[in-house]
Amino acid sequence: MNFVTRTALVVSTICLLMLGLIGGTAFVMMREQLIEAALAETHREAEFQAIQVSDAVAAIENQVRTLAQNPVIRNAMVDSEGRAAYVLPFLRSAAETQGIGTTISLLDFQGEPILNSEDRIGEMDAAAPSIKSALEQGDPSSFIVTKPADPSTPKGFEQITQIDIVYPVIVGQTGTVEGALFARVPLGPLMRRFHGEGTLYAGIADRDATNKTTELHAMLSGHERKVHLTPVEFSGSLARYRMFFAVPVDLSATDQALSAFTGRAVAMAAVFILLSLVVGTAAARRITWPLKEMAARASLIASTDSYDEKLSMPVSGSGEIGALATSFNDMLHRLRTSVEIERDSHSRRFRQVFEAVSEGLITISADATIESVNPAAAALFGYAAEELVGRNVKCIMPHRYAVEHDGYVSSYVETDEAKLIGSTRELVGLRKDGTEVPLELSISETRIDGRQVFTGVLRDITERKEAEAALRDREDRVRAIVNTVVDGIVTIDEKGTVETFNPAAARIFGFDAEEVVGQNVRMLMPEPYHGEHDGYLDNYMTSGEAKVIGIGREVTGQRKDGSIFPMELAVSEMAV
């Protein structure tokens, strides 16, 4: 890529960034101005509603004070007879005057409820401490009731749900407090009375109103600024509380203005973005196509181990991309040369091992064609290697095996069901001169360039077979001697179990060999030898101290019919 192309890309990118910065700044400034205007309007509305709420609560306090001083209420405190008949309608009428669900209760001098404007006694547990305090001091008192904070409650505030008013009822010239009037004012209906949508909050007592207002504004900064907080000043005992009126901010006009501005800004930005995309795409394609093509070819090389010359990159220009393509082609050439050298070296090493190994090695294809034969295998069958390569492997099998071999190979290729592969077995091979040779064969399977190739390892076991035959012949001769000798011969193991029992021993003891073999030899001994024999044998196996082995002695035997007879015993030991 030349200097002009790089400069065009940089300039277009800078222009796009500047457009975004200017548009974003204008949007933020306009948004802040609109929000501030909405906040100012909300502030005026909040102040008006706060005054209305304060005046309404003051009016209720005045009403409760007037009721507490009414002779009817005072008389009811000292004369309980029939007071429900004339006091209850009196309380209901006063409670319904406000029309906001206020309840008024008549309490005795201990603060216990006597009558309630809604016939509900109770629901004043939270107010009990303040009621008792007002009765003891003889002073009117108003206090707030809040609900526990929830996620919608601003930090540092508690939402006020109602205002409770207590006014002592004083009877007589002495100023004796005989009871009190208790009024509970729900704030929800009170707010709705003035068509307000606000919420009354109580702040933490050790912080001033200015800091609280600032904190709430900071918490609700930006477009998330949904409410406006205004201090509310109450008279009387409520003045001790720091209360604030939160009114929702109407941002609908702000949203409409911002939407119109955003629409125009988006339209202008779309034109610039489209132009930038066209320019950027063309430039990016010119830059990235060679890189993507190079990555694809590198991935193909890694996945296939192919280093063909066709994978070289076309070199165009003298810039950075051209230099990179030249380096890629140089790397490909070096890899191809290195792999070819490594393959040649590996092939030579394999051939050397293949030809030098002392055991016969033959490889065949999936159709049973011999592909390679090492010198040891060729000599085993009496062929030259080139006489076997290219022929079917059944040429080195006797006819009785050759007729089944092709079917076995094709069955394995189709079903993958192996009978020989992965195992070792003995079979017979056929030499060139027609003679047969016993073999031990191990077959393994591998894949070379996607083809199935089977490798057979052959061992000439002629000498082992001859040794086995000689061993069997000696065993047969020994068995014939043992079975024809006139003396009884019995063999036992280290536990005293009978292993062989020749015919002469069977005649002497009257048992058949099958009755004795596998039984303890003490069955042929009378007492006390019958009970002592196992202990003697265990002692010999533990200490090696022999009392009978290696010498002849006269002992007593016991026949099958239980008769006892003398006999001469010679015991010898051998390891098998």
Side-chain angles (χ1 to χ4, degrees), residues 453-481:
V453 177
F454 303 94
T455 301
V457 180
L458 302 165
R459 300 176 186 85
D460 185 350
I461 56 174
T462 302
E463 293 183 358
R464 189 173 75 190
K465 288 294 183 181
E466 291 174 350
E468 291 174 353
L471 179 60
R472 286 194 297 272
D473 183 61
R474 286 196 298 273
E475 289 176 348
D476 290 342
R477 287 199 298 272
V478 170
R479 190 177 297 109
I481 294 172

Side-chain angles (χ1 to χ4, degrees), residues 490-499 501 509 511 515-538 556-560 562-565 567 569:
V490 180
T491 62
I492 65 174
D493 62 13
E494 68 274 8
K495 296 181 180 179
T497 302
V498 177
E499 292 187 343
F501 198 71
F509 288 95
F511 286 98
E515 296 177 279
V516 180
V517 173
Q519 304 296 322
N520 194 291
V521 72
R522 65 173 177 265
M523 69 181 292
L524 306 177
M525 303 175 187
E527 293 291 352
Y529 310 113
H530 181 88
E532 297 174 351
H533 181 266
D534 285 352
Y536 166 73
L537 192 59
D538 290 341
T556 303
Q558 179 175 301
R559 296 188 179 92
K560 180 179 180 180
S563 59
I564 298 172
F565 65 95
M567 63 179 184
L569 174 66

Side-chain angles (χ1 to χ4, degrees), residues 162-214:
Q162 59 201 32
I163 295 177
D164 291 343
I165 302 170
V166 181
Y167 207 97
V169 178
I170 300 174
V171 179
Q173 299 298 325
T174 59
T176 303
V177 177
E178 295 293 341
L181 280 178
F182 175 81
R184 174 156 285 176
V185 183
L187 283 182
L190 181 60
M191 299 295 185
R192 289 191 291 273
R193 177 180 176 183
F194 300 112
H195 306 286
E197 300 178 4
T199 303
L200 200 59
Y201 288 101
I204 301 172
D206 60 353
R207 301 180 65 180
D208 57 64
T210 302
N211 288 340
K212 289 187 178 304
T213 305
T214 304

Side-chain angles (χ1 to χ4, degrees), residues 257-306:
L258 289 175
S259 297
F261 175 81
T262 303
R264 293 191 297 271
V266 168
M268 294 177 61
V271 175
F272 281 96
I273 290 174
L274 183 61
L275 292 175
S276 299
L277 285 176
V278 172
V279 175
T281 300
R285 184 171 298 173
R286 178 179 177 84
I287 297 172
T288 60
W289 179 87
L291 299 178
K292 291 182 179 178
E293 184 65 20
M294 198 176 302
R297 299 189 185 201
S299 177
L300 182 63
I301 292 171
S303 60
T304 62
D305 289 335
S306 174

Side-chain angles (χ1 to χ4, degrees), residues 115-427:
L115 296 171
N116 181 273
S117 61
E118 295 185 2
D119 289 338
R120 291 185 299 179
I121 304 301
E123 302 181 359
M124 291 182 290
D125 293 341
S130 298
I131 292 174
K132 292 181 179 179
S133 176
L135 289 172
E136 291 173 358
Q137 297 177 11
D139 295 326
S141 178
S142 298
F143 50 94
I144 62 173
V145 178
T146 61
K147 71 174 184 179
D150 58 34
S152 65
T153 304
K155 182 180 179 182
F157 294 84
E158 295 178 352
Q159 183 177 346
I160 304 172
T161 58
Q162 59 201 32
I163 295 177
D164 291 343
I165 302 170
V166 181
Y167 207 97
V169 178
I170 300 174
V171 179
Q173 299 298 325
T174 59
T176 303
V177 177
E178 295 293 341
L181 280 178
F182 175 81
R184 174 156 285 176
V185 183
L187 283 182
L190 181 60
M191 299 295 185
R192 289 191 291 273
R193 177 180 176 183
F194 300 112
H195 306 286
E197 300 178 4
T199 303
L200 200 59
Y201 288 101
I204 301 172
D206 60 353
R207 301 180 65 180
D208 57 64
T210 302
N211 288 340
K212 289 187 178 304
T213 305
T214 304
E215 178 183 353
L216 186 61
H217 281 193
M219 183 188 71
L220 302 173
S221 62
H223 193 58
E224 291 71 30
R225 184 160 26 190
K226 301 295 185 183
V227 297
H228 186 276
L229 198 68
T230 301
V232 181
E233 295 182 0
F234 286 95
S235 60
S237 58
L238 287 176
R240 68 182 183 276
Y241 294 108
R242 296 185 181 277
M243 288 182 280
F244 307 91
F245 194 57
V247 178
V249 179
D250 183 7
L251 295 178
S252 57
T254 300
D255 291 337
Q256 293 176 1
L258 289 175
S259 297
F261 175 81
T262 303
R264 293 191 297 271
V266 168
M268 294 177 61
V271 175
F272 281 96
I273 290 174
L274 183 61
L275 292 175
S276 299
L277 285 176
V278 172
V279 175
T281 300
R285 184 171 298 173
R286 178 179 177 84
I287 297 172
T288 60
W289 179 87
L291 299 178
K292 291 182 179 178
E293 184 65 20
M294 198 176 302
R297 299 189 185 201
S299 177
L300 182 63
I301 292 171
S303 60
T304 62
D305 289 335
S306 174
Y307 304 95
D308 194 274
E309 186 70 28
K310 296 178 181 179
L311 296 175
S312 299
M313 285 290 298
V315 179
S316 59
S318 58
E320 294 90 340
I321 300 299
L324 184 59
T326 301
S327 299
F328 179 86
N329 294 340
D330 183 61
M331 177 194 69
L332 179 63
H333 175 73
R334 291 174 182 272
L335 283 173
R336 183 169 56 252
T337 303
S338 176
V339 169
E340 290 174 354
I341 294 173
E342 179 64 23
R343 285 177 177 173
D344 290 343
S345 175
H346 178 75
S347 178
R348 286 195 301 271
R349 289 197 299 271
F350 174 78
R351 176 56 60 182
Q352 290 172 354
V353 173
F354 185 76
E355 293 180 354
V357 69
S358 61
E359 296 179 329
L361 297 176
I362 295 180
T363 60
I364 66 171
S365 62
D367 61 357
T369 301
I370 298 175
E371 294 187 347
S372 63
V373 181
N374 76 333
L380 179 62
F381 293 102
Y383 287 94
E386 54 271 16
E387 294 181 277
L388 292 175
V389 173
R391 298 179 61 182
N392 192 292
V393 71
K394 63 187 179 184
C395 70
I396 54 176
M397 299 179 183
H399 179 72
R400 58 185 181 275
Y401 302 122
V403 293
E404 301 176 356
H405 184 266
D406 285 351
Y408 167 72
V409 173
S410 61
S411 174
Y412 171 72
V413 172
E414 294 174 1
T415 66
D416 204 33
E417 181 181 355
K419 295 181 179 179
L420 289 178
I421 294 173
S423 62
T424 300
R425 64 177 295 179
E426 294 181 1
L427 47 75

